[in-house]
Amino acid sequence: MDVSISNGEEVFYIIIPDSREKDVIQQLNRPAIKNSKMIIKYILFSELRANCDAICKFGSDHSIMDKIAKSI
């Protein structure tokens, strides 16, 4: 059985410490990741912390994460 978690429609969010942003950008720019169908976005801890209450209050699905997520 061949199972794939990405068919191009999923969005993967990773939460990272602010101090690691440059490292994450480098990793997300690797050809193996950049050329894949996966959509990977990252959220800084500080952004999540600052917006946590609003996300919980106004969010009804994952699309609320796009408001604070960054992509390459």
Side-chain angles (χ1 to χ4, degrees):
M1 175 186 221
D2 185 22
V3 178
S4 177
I5 60 171
S6 179
N7 64 11
E9 295 176 13
E10 298 88 0
V11 178
F12 297 94
Y13 298 96
I14 55 175
I15 312 301
I16 63 167
D18 294 29
S19 61
R20 300 289 312 270
E21 184 172 16
K22 287 182 183 180
D23 297 330
V24 169
I25 291 171
Q26 284 181 321
Q27 293 301 317
L28 293 178
N29 276 316
R30 293 175 68 174
I33 294 173
K34 207 151 174 82
N35 295 334
S36 72
K37 292 181 181 179
M38 289 190 299
I39 300 169
I40 303 174
K41 297 182 178 187
Y42 66 94
I43 300 171
L44 299 174
F45 279 153
S46 63
E47 289 289 324
L48 184 59
R49 187 179 306 120
N51 295 290
C52 186
D53 290 338
I55 290 169
C56 292
K57 185 174 182 177
F58 299 114
S60 60
D61 62 27
H62 71 86
S63 65
I64 194 76
M65 300 302 278
D66 271 340
K67 306 284 185 192
I68 61 170
K70 297 181 180 186
S71 59
I72 304 301

